[in-house]
Amino acid sequence: MPIGEFGRPPALPSEVSPALTTPMYWMHEMARASLNPARMLTDATKVLFQNPFNPLTHTDFGKQVAAGCEVFERTTRRYGKPEWGLDDTEVNGVRTPVVIRTVWEKPFCRLLYFDRDHPRPLKHPQPRVLIVAPMSGHYATLLRGTVEAFLPTHEVYITDWTDARMVPIAEGRFDLDDYVDYIIEMLHELGGNMHVIAVCQPSVPVLAAVSVMEADADPFVPVSMTLMGGPIDTRRNPTAVNNLAAEKGIDWFRSHVITKVPFPHPGLMRDVYPGFLQLNGFISMNLDRHMDAHKDLFNHLVQGDGDLADKHRDFYDEYLAVMDLTAEYYLQTVDTVFIKHSLPKGEMTHHGKLVDPSKIHNVALMTVEGENDDISGIGQTEATHALCTSIPDDRRVHYVQKGVGHYGVFNGSRFRSAIVPRINDFMHNATESKRVAAE
């Protein structure tokens, strides 16, 4: 799905004037810069009132001043790209260091490999899996829990999409066709014998990429593809999120949310859908909840409850770290997936050539949905099976996880305990089926 909170299309303030969209980004940057002196002052004040040699540090007044300074600093900072924080994992009962390496790179994406430094060679090679992260406003680190769940039993790769404001305009455009090209190039780079998992929004370009590869008899098609909570056919059980694009129309999005990257970012003058506007949109959907969370942070800091304060920091360090998306990718995705429904109608094209999922016959298919998903409604991902008519029934699986929403499809306790084992079994069966067919 295109684009917004945890993979959702954004809730956008309809009162934003088209004439104000471009200068708004520049004004936003000026406002952020103007707050730097105040942030420096509050940082210094916080250090002063947390100094154990300051008598006021241990008073209610001192604790409130320090807490207030931290809340101000956190609500006015620009949140950078979060760290993965996956330094080790357990492989066959042995704690194993993990080193993250870049194995392929283009202007708008890096392919990361989580290299497990085994203390001794594995008796049997483990499946290789490419996780395609959403290019939907948050960084790939949103799938930290997804990667962590597969690391003990898989060789894991993941797409690490680049913030569009950091890409110089001289590097050219990036649209949905380019997204599909990137996936195909990555599969070529990895050299075959791969399993692909698309989480949310990339279900559409992954399905398109595999369709194109199969139509071209590409030898590097993956062994299997798993599509999780993806908007393959948003006409099925449309949610409020799905209806947003249909109600507004593509011209509204083009005139209201597209702007140019301001100085001093490397992507100066690139047309983008800006991260700060996305953030404003999906915070406004639950403004009271976010205000209460920051009030709670203040109280936890005053009371000295470090564990709850750390949980708040961890969540918002990820939640408030957003990236810009190229205008052409954003608009093409909204138009293709949510307005025209091109893929399920058999009208989606890739560089002018029709995308035909019925050409897929070598790749096993699994779809996963959440029972309470309010972003991709029940049936939207399952619709893939009706499109991939050439995949044998014994090489396709559909699974609905009870009691989880959109985020729970790829993260959390039920994902680890119920969904991951099923994906593991599916991959194993797909590999065995391919081996038998080859013999």
Side-chain angles (χ1 to χ4, degrees):
M1 61 191 77
I3 324 260
E5 180 179 10
F6 295 153
R8 71 179 66 190
L12 297 170
S14 59
E15 68 273 10
V16 175
S17 166
L20 293 178
T21 306
T22 295
M24 183 184 297
Y25 201 161
W26 297 71
M27 293 168 63
H28 174 80
E29 290 299 306
M30 291 175 62
R32 186 183 296 278
S34 70
L35 284 172
N36 284 340
R39 294 183 64 251
M40 293 174 63
L41 178 61
T42 55
D43 277 345
T45 305
K46 176 185 173 184
V47 171
L48 175 64
F49 281 90
Q50 288 184 334
N51 189 323
F53 297 104
N54 182 352
L56 294 176
T57 294
H58 308 288
T59 66
D60 287 341
F61 172 76
K63 293 176 182 178
Q64 290 174 5
V65 170
C69 288
E70 176 166 342
V71 172
F72 175 82
E73 189 276 333
R74 292 188 63 83
T75 54
T76 58
R77 73 162 70 161
R78 182 192 296 281
Y79 284 78
K81 183 178 180 179
E83 297 293 331
W84 282 98
L86 299 176
D87 299 323
D88 55 46
T89 188
E90 187 173 294
V91 181
N92 293 340
V94 179
R95 209 67 203 169
T96 305
V98 174
V99 178
I100 303 175
R101 298 194 291 109
T102 299
V103 296
W104 177 92
E105 185 171 7
K106 294 196 82 170
F108 291 93
C109 187
R110 297 184 305 159
L111 179 59
L112 302 182
Y113 171 48
F114 293 83
D115 190 356
R116 303 169 302 170
D117 186 11
H118 305 292
R120 57 179 180 269
L122 297 176
K123 293 182 178 179
H124 304 286
Q126 294 184 331
R128 303 165 70 221
V129 59
L130 168 61
I131 299 175
V132 183
M135 191 179 189
S136 57
H138 283 91
Y139 292 95
T141 51
L142 181 68
L143 303 189
R144 185 183 294 103
T146 315
V147 173
E148 187 175 23
F150 283 104
L151 268 180
T153 52
H154 295 75
E155 299 283 349
V156 179
Y157 300 79
I158 194 169
T159 57
D160 185 27
W161 301 105
T162 306
D163 187 340
R165 71 170 173 258
M166 303 305 293
V167 183
I169 197 169
E171 296 288 356
R173 293 162 47 90
F174 181 87
D175 61 14
L176 186 57
D177 288 340
D178 296 313
Y179 195 129
V180 173
D181 290 339
Y182 272 34
I183 294 170
I184 294 173
E185 288 186 34
M186 291 177 201
L187 289 171
H188 284 189
E189 177 69 23
L190 295 173
N193 195 29
M194 293 295 302
H195 301 270
V196 177
I197 297 176
V199 180
C200 312
Q201 164 267 329
S203 294
V204 170
V206 165
L207 179 58
V210 174
S211 300
V212 170
M213 295 175 76
E214 286 271 47
D216 293 340
D218 194 317
F220 296 107
V221 291
V223 177
S224 74
M225 63 175 170
T226 302
L227 310 182
M228 307 176 68
I232 299 300
D233 188 351
T234 59
R235 298 172 300 177
R236 296 193 180 191
N237 295 317
T239 65
V241 172
N242 302 149
N243 292 332
L244 173 67
E247 292 171 1
K248 295 295 185 182
I250 195 63
D251 290 336
W252 185 92
F253 285 91
R254 183 179 291 108
S255 62
H256 283 73
V257 305
I258 302 304
T259 182
K260 293 185 182 296
V261 176
F263 178 83
H265 302 295
L268 176 67
M269 299 306 292
R270 177 181 292 281
D271 287 331
V272 296
Y273 175 45
F276 84 88
L277 192 57
Q278 300 176 69
L279 192 60
N280 174 73
F282 51 72
I283 282 183
S284 67
M285 292 189 297
N286 297 286
L287 182 59
D288 291 343
R289 187 184 72 183
H290 293 297
M291 292 180 65
D292 289 342
H294 283 79
K295 290 177 184 177
D296 291 340
L297 172 64
F298 177 86
N299 293 328
H300 296 325
L301 292 170
V302 172
Q303 297 164 6
D305 194 334
D307 289 342
L308 290 177
D310 285 342
K311 288 182 180 179
H312 175 101
R313 295 187 187 104
D314 290 344
F315 175 80
Y316 279 98
D317 284 352
E318 191 79 52
Y319 186 83
L320 299 177
V322 290
M323 51 189 280
D324 294 355
L325 308 175
T326 63
E328 57 272 15
Y329 162 74
Y330 175 78
L331 294 173
Q332 188 181 355
T333 302
V334 170
D335 193 41
T336 300
V337 178
F338 288 88
I339 297 178
K340 294 181 177 177
H341 312 289
S342 299
L343 183 58
K345 287 182 176 180
E347 299 171 355
M348 182 177 177
T349 60
H350 172 251
H351 296 305
K353 182 179 179 181
L354 197 66
V355 173
D356 185 2
S358 70
K359 298 293 185 181
I360 303 174
H361 60 279
N362 292 307
V363 182
L365 170 66
M366 180 176 186
T367 53
V368 181
E369 296 181 329
E371 179 186 32
N372 303 324
D373 194 333
D374 60 345
I375 307 304
S376 292
I378 287 288
Q380 292 186 10
T381 314
E382 184 186 13
T384 312
H385 293 274
L387 302 177
C388 299
T389 55
S390 299
I391 300 177
D393 290 342
D394 62 351
R395 304 192 71 225
R396 59 171 77 227
V397 175
H398 177 64
Y399 177 69
V400 176
Q401 177 59 52
K402 302 290 186 181
V404 303
H406 186 69
Y407 191 71
V409 171
F410 57 91
N411 246 317
S413 59
R414 292 184 183 177
F415 167 73
R416 293 189 297 271
S417 63
I419 296 177
V420 170
R422 285 176 168 83
I423 295 177
N424 286 342
D425 289 343
F426 164 71
M427 290 182 181
H428 173 76
N429 293 336
T431 301
E432 285 299 302
S433 176
K434 181 180 179 180
R435 182 185 62 81
V436 170
E439 293 176 349

